[in-house]
Amino acid sequence: MRRLVILISGLFLLILTGCRDEQTTRISDNYRTYYEVFVRSFYDSDDDGIGDLKGLVHKLDYLNNGGSSRSKSLNVGGIWLMPVMPSPSYHKYDVTDYYAIAPEYGTMQDFEELLEECRTRDVKVIIDLVVNHTSSEHPWFRSAARSIGIPPCGEDTCVHEELCREHNPYCAYYNFAWEPQSGYAQTPLYEDIYYECRFVKEMPDLNLDEPAVRWEITDIMRFWLEKGVGGFRLDAVTYFYYGNTQKNADFLHWLTAQAKGIDKDCYIVGEAWSTAGVIRELYTGADSFFNFPFSQISGLYIPVVRTGDARQAAARMQEWNDSIREVNPRAIDAVFLSNHDNARSYGMLNRNEDLAKMAASFYILSPGNAFIYYGEELGMIGSGRDENKRLPMYWSAEDKTGIPLPPPSAEFFEPPAFSAMQQMNDDTSLFSHYRRLIEIKNKYPEIARGTIEAIPSENDAVAAYALTYDGSTILVVHNFGETEATQELSNLEGKYKLLEHIGVSSEKARLKGGTVSLPARSSVIIGIK
Ligand code: CA
């Protein structure tokens, strides 16, 4: 049935456009290229130094201009908003009200306007959902932490009304203990009572076994999904039941079923900052997880690009994708270079624009959903303390309008070599490279959705793989080396056509007979008939 729908919508678009182009990609499934936004550091609409939702709307054309040819746009299909709910911290990963917008980011009306603007552009908005813990200032915790030290006094003679620990339902929302233990902190009022807080004492862990907490989580998801949010990025899933992967997978399975019961099309991606083995096990509970093992300096993408040694690359990609689809046939790998918790990738790539372009080609042209961290496409840098990784978006070198202040305690602000304005007007810029990659990924649904098969290569600097989706196969070939490389295709059946070429120079790739020649640091898409 789904294939039929895809076929019909594809035919319809073919009639509209007359050729296979970007528009044919609007398959209504959950494969999209996402852009991670830290609202505070993106664009400030009211000049108070803090980025806000109105500012994001103002800059939405940069992310997706709805097909307009008036402006240069990345044309991502999705946006992940880091937490937008009220919170005492600048990063907002400790929520005090799950049903509101942080006042410094704007109003619920601003948020609804953002959703409406995104809806008209077919951009899915997913929001960070932080339910491993609340803020210690959340009314649930304040109430529980007060009552927990008031002993029950019997039903008939209760003098504390709703206040004692037996009568206050919020006491069951958290995990309290009467002895100190690892991962727990002392309650503010009672010396001999402790509460679980795996991160910091300002983030008390919720008791996810408590039915009332699960009802709350369902209500929270319903509230945002009914508002028009397209799904959630789940924070800290390996901490839900600390150290218990099976219970985490079971909880994710429950949560996914609740969310899909409200909106069957919602997209949920989990943050399991863990090993391949743990992530694979969690795929039994949800459909998408960030691919931490392939990210950052010791993952797959960046080391291959830095060393030019791609010998294991395609095989590792196939092995990973096969293994997660074996566990969960609906698995969508969520690939990225780095995020708000990691050093920025441009630094890991020696601040070298050619390397940054190849890293982008490698991960964006991988199966699954690519997640671009804001400013990555400009070559922004930042490492060390977290605030340094979350610096203001560098819109313009001359015009400071809308550029927020750095987060408190950021130690430096070293802008990228070229601003967004400069890079948007330069067809050879890193921004333009990202833009083309997204265009290519949108144009060939095989890349995101396909089953991957590694193709052996004689050349150590080459990674080649076939992607098959809905009966159609394309090949992706990357040359990570500093010299021209060739790849034999003649052992594969069929007729080949060079569909796309993208690289660091204007030199062209050539396809002759069964051999493709790739200039240094470039990639091709080849069709097979
Ligand atoms: Ca503002």
Side-chain angles (χ1 to χ4, degrees):
M1 185 60 194
R2 193 164 128 259
R3 282 195 176 180
L4 189 66
V5 172
I6 292 164
L7 190 68
I8 291 168
S9 57
L11 280 174
F12 176 67
L13 286 161
L14 274 175
I15 292 161
L16 272 183
T17 59
C19 63
R20 171 170 165 147
D21 71 6
E22 204 180 330
Q23 297 304 313
T24 57
T25 61
R26 295 296 178 186
I27 300 171
S28 60
D29 59 15
N30 272 327
Y31 287 93
R32 286 158 187 261
T33 300
Y34 277 85
Y35 190 90
E36 178 188 357
V37 175
F38 181 36
V39 174
R40 184 190 177 101
S41 285
F42 203 62
Y43 192 90
D44 174 16
S45 72
D46 59 1
D47 213 23
D48 67 352
I50 297 176
D52 43 59
L53 294 171
K54 271 195 162 66
L56 176 54
V57 171
H58 181 72
K59 282 293 181 187
L60 209 50
D61 278 354
Y62 175 82
L63 301 181
N64 186 311
N65 62 11
S68 155
S69 55
R70 287 193 307 273
S71 59
K72 294 280 175 68
S73 174
L74 286 171
N75 281 324
V76 294
I79 297 173
W80 155 25
L81 297 180
M82 285 165 62
V84 293
M85 300 165 195
S87 164
S89 65
Y90 85 92
H91 52 70
K92 309 204 179 305
Y93 277 97
D94 43 347
V95 175
T96 50
D97 181 353
Y98 287 98
Y99 299 95
I101 292 293
E104 59 271 46
Y105 284 1
T107 63
M108 190 58 81
Q109 195 185 344
D110 295 341
F111 185 73
E112 286 161 359
E113 273 173 36
L114 170 68
L115 290 183
E116 179 56 20
E117 284 293 328
C118 287
R119 196 189 58 78
T120 62
R121 293 155 210 249
D122 190 20
V123 170
K124 204 157 189 158
V125 176
I126 65 169
I127 59 170
D128 233 301
L129 184 64
V130 187
V131 292
N132 173 68
H133 50 263
T134 66
S135 164
S136 56
E137 292 178 30
H138 193 290
W140 298 341
F141 185 74
R142 292 172 70 115
S143 174
R146 189 180 63 228
S147 288
I148 198 69
I150 305 176
C153 49
E155 266 178 38
D156 299 334
T157 57
C158 184
V159 293
H160 302 297
E161 294 174 357
E162 299 302 301
L163 272 179
C164 75
R165 67 175 172 239
E166 187 172 294
H167 288 105
N168 185 342
Y170 297 120
C171 289
Y173 278 36
Y174 298 89
N175 298 310
F176 291 101
W178 277 260
E179 273 169 16
Q181 48 190 292
S182 160
Y184 280 63
Q186 202 174 53
T187 52
L189 294 177
Y190 310 109
E191 274 184 5
D192 55 343
I193 307 179
Y194 304 83
Y195 63 98
E196 188 189 14
C197 54
R198 294 289 164 181
F199 287 97
V200 290
K201 67 176 175 28
E202 291 80 12
M203 298 179 174
D205 278 52
L206 281 165
N207 173 13
L208 299 175
D209 276 335
E210 166 59 30
V213 168
R214 293 202 179 199
W215 295 331
E216 299 274 9
I217 291 170
T218 306
D219 282 349
I220 293 162
M221 292 196 297
R222 179 177 293 110
F223 176 82
W224 293 101
L225 289 171
E226 286 181 350
K227 205 164 268 302
V229 157
F232 304 104
R233 178 264 186 190
L234 295 180
D235 185 55
V237 308
T238 54
Y239 288 81
F240 287 167
Y241 294 91
Y242 189 68
N244 190 333
T245 304
Q246 184 56 55
K247 281 201 85 173
N248 288 332
D250 292 346
F251 179 77
L252 286 166
H253 189 263
W254 170 84
L255 185 145
T256 302
Q258 297 296 306
K260 298 220 175 216
I262 299 161
D263 173 4
K264 66 176 172 48
D265 298 323
C266 71
Y267 174 62
I268 291 173
V269 55
E271 181 216 15
W273 193 345
S274 192
T275 60
V278 167
I279 296 171
R280 185 173 184 267
E281 207 177 326
L282 292 172
Y283 264 105
T284 57
D287 297 344
S288 197
F289 290 91
F290 289 107
N291 190 334
F292 279 93
F294 283 9
S295 74
Q296 304 173 77
I297 192 129
S298 58
L300 174 72
Y301 304 119
I302 288 174
V304 166
V305 169
R306 279 165 60 110
T307 61
D309 179 354
R311 276 175 294 181
Q312 299 301 318
R316 280 184 65 189
M317 290 165 75
Q318 181 186 334
E319 186 190 10
W320 176 248
N321 280 278
D322 285 352
S323 84
I324 62 173
R325 283 188 177 182
E326 188 185 305
V327 172
N328 179 346
R330 294 177 310 278
I332 300 177
D333 196 10
V335 294
F336 68 106
L337 295 179
S338 71
N339 67 24
H340 62 280
D341 288 324
N342 314 137
R344 280 191 174 269
S345 53
Y346 202 68
M348 300 180 203
L349 293 159
N350 309 336
R351 304 189 183 193
N352 178 312
E353 192 181 300
D354 286 355
L355 296 186
K357 285 177 175 172
M358 280 314 291
S361 297
F362 194 11
Y363 93 98
I364 293 176
L365 300 180
S366 288
N369 290 349
F371 279 76
I372 299 162
Y373 184 43
Y374 81 94
E376 180 189 304
E377 75 284 8
L378 302 180
M380 278 176 62
I381 53 164
S383 61
R385 56 184 306 142
D386 282 345
E387 290 85 345
N388 298 347
K389 306 160 184 167
R390 305 165 184 174
L391 294 174
M393 183 73 175
Y394 190 55
W395 293 108
S396 166
E398 299 82 29
D399 181 1
K400 300 297 177 202
T401 311
I403 297 183
L405 294 173
S409 312
E411 293 161 324
F412 72 102
F413 179 44
E414 189 182 334
F418 301 103
S419 70
M421 290 306 291
Q422 289 167 314
Q423 297 202 37
M424 287 164 81
N425 294 319
D426 175 1
D427 287 342
T428 69
S429 68
L430 185 58
F431 168 90
S432 295
H433 189 86
Y434 271 79
R435 187 172 172 272
R436 268 230 51 221
L437 287 170
I438 296 164
E439 194 177 15
I440 291 169
K441 192 153 188 181
N442 286 344
K443 191 167 166 184
Y444 304 97
E446 297 90 341
I447 303 173
R449 298 164 182 81
T451 303
I452 183 170
E453 190 183 348
I455 298 168
S457 180
E458 298 280 303
N459 191 318
D460 291 350
V462 168
Y465 45 92
L467 293 155
T468 303
Y469 169 71
D470 209 16
S472 169
T473 298
I474 59 163
L475 308 179
V476 179
V477 187
H478 303 285
N479 173 15
F480 296 102
E482 292 177 71
T483 54
E484 186 182 81
T486 58
Q487 171 69 33
E488 273 304 314
L489 306 171
S490 52
N491 51 343
L492 301 160
E493 298 246 331
K495 280 191 173 164
Y496 307 107
K497 189 183 176 194
L498 187 59
L499 299 172
E500 306 287 343
H501 170 246
I502 180 165
V504 303
S505 72
S506 57
E507 248 183 283
K508 295 272 180 284
R510 299 180 313 277
L511 178 64
K512 204 172 176 194
T515 306
V516 60
S517 306
L518 289 96
R521 290 181 178 144
S522 68
S523 312
V524 292
I525 309 286
I526 294 166
I528 312 179
K529 275 263 158 53

